[in-house]
Amino acid sequence: SSLNDADIRSLIGKGSATQMSFNEWHGASADIEFVTSAERTLTFSSNKRVVSLTGLGIQAGDLVFVQGVAQGLGDKWGNTAGTGWVPCDTMSGYHNWQTSFRFYKTMGASVDTQFALNVYEDSWTNSYTHPALIVVFRNASSSPTNTSEYFDGSQRLTFSPGSIPVANANSLHVILATRAGYGTPNPQSGWTWMGFARTVNQAGSGYTNSCNLWYKLGVPAGTSNIGTVNWSSGYARLN
């Protein structure tokens, strides 16, 4: 083995035959790990909703999730977000006044500095910013599996996507949900929750939207289930 072997240098995100320092190897591991998350806002530019990915320490090989919410009858995403970005679901239109989207990408040697999603948006919503949640993992599979979708159009306080099959031992399991309402969900044993919410005023009305992500490391092969997640208040729809 040598430090220039692809599977070894990938531990610190280095390309072939590039300079390395010993201190870059401190703490390097092949285990899947959470790197960072960021709560940011989506702006509108040239028919795209855009969010910056800079300042997050993203490296080649990292698995990056971008999740966003928009509110309004005219806001729909067009399923085009640049090379390598994969949608987690097929819900490209708005549902009950809420549009939400979830994308992921395993970064190549060239790391993206922004996420830009094509949208079909009425002009009156262009000036509004919308919430976004960015989450970064390291040493995950280069080919993640998108397992299922869950949509609840009713006004309720619970989220229960059910049991999900897990093919590989010691896996990373990620559940992303968006909610047309705000509130802090109950913690689930073994799961880490991250959320973001922002009130967006549109046409004189106030809407509160939430991005939610749960992850769990070291999931054994078989099945995985977050159980029933409850919010204490604020009935809302779920994607």
Side-chain angles (χ1 to χ4, degrees):
S1 297
S2 74
L3 292 180
N4 196 48
D5 289 352
D7 57 345
I8 294 179
R9 56 182 166 78
S10 67
L11 295 177
I12 58 171
K14 289 290 184 178
S16 178
T18 57
Q19 182 174 333
M20 309 175 194
S21 301
F22 280 113
N23 61 4
E24 293 182 277
W25 292 92
H26 296 168
S29 172
D31 292 335
I32 301 173
E33 61 183 50
F34 165 76
V35 176
T36 191
S37 66
E39 300 169 353
R40 295 185 174 175
T41 55
L42 292 151
T43 57
F44 185 84
S45 177
S46 301
N47 294 320
K48 297 178 184 291
R49 280 291 172 181
V50 180
V51 62
S52 171
L53 301 178
T54 61
L56 302 176
I58 300 173
Q59 300 178 0
D62 286 354
L63 175 62
V64 180
F65 289 89
V66 175
Q67 182 182 13
V69 169
Q71 191 105 29
L73 287 175
D75 202 0
K76 312 174 184 66
W77 56 271
N79 200 22
T80 303
T83 303
W85 288 99
V86 181
C88 294
D89 54 53
T90 60
M91 297 177 184
S92 61
Y94 61 87
H95 293 270
N96 292 317
W97 293 82
Q98 181 177 357
T99 304
S100 58
F101 52 83
R102 293 153 287 274
F103 280 76
Y104 67 85
K105 179 177 181 177
T106 301
M107 292 295 170
S110 178
V111 174
D112 292 8
T113 59
Q114 68 173 21
F115 171 85
L117 176 65
N118 285 356
V119 294
Y120 308 111
E121 197 168 286
D122 287 339
S123 59
W124 64 273
T125 65
N126 293 171
S127 62
Y128 297 108
T129 58
H130 299 308
L133 176 64
I134 306 165
V135 184
V136 183
F137 295 94
R138 189 154 295 155
N139 305 325
S141 169
S142 60
S143 301
T145 300
N146 185 25
T147 308
S148 66
E149 300 176 23
Y150 171 87
F151 173 70
D152 191 339
S154 302
Q155 297 275 5
R156 63 181 75 241
L157 289 171
T158 61
F159 171 67
S160 184
S163 193
I164 304 297
V166 177
N168 301 314
N170 195 31
S171 296
L172 162 68
H173 186 186
V174 177
I175 294 176
L176 302 102
T178 54
R179 184 171 185 260
Y182 176 65
T184 302
N186 62 299
Q188 299 294 295
S189 177
W191 293 84
T192 300
W193 170 78
M194 287 170 285
F196 175 82
R198 175 179 293 272
T199 299
V200 181
N201 290 317
Q202 299 189 32
S205 300
Y207 295 99
T208 305
N209 308 298
S210 301
C211 293
N212 296 275
L213 182 145
W214 293 262
Y215 74 88
K216 188 175 185 179
L217 297 173
V219 180
T223 58
S224 177
N225 193 344
I226 196 174
T228 300
V229 177
N230 295 295
W231 278 267
S232 60
S233 62
Y235 286 100
R237 304 171 183 89
L238 296 159
N239 293 60

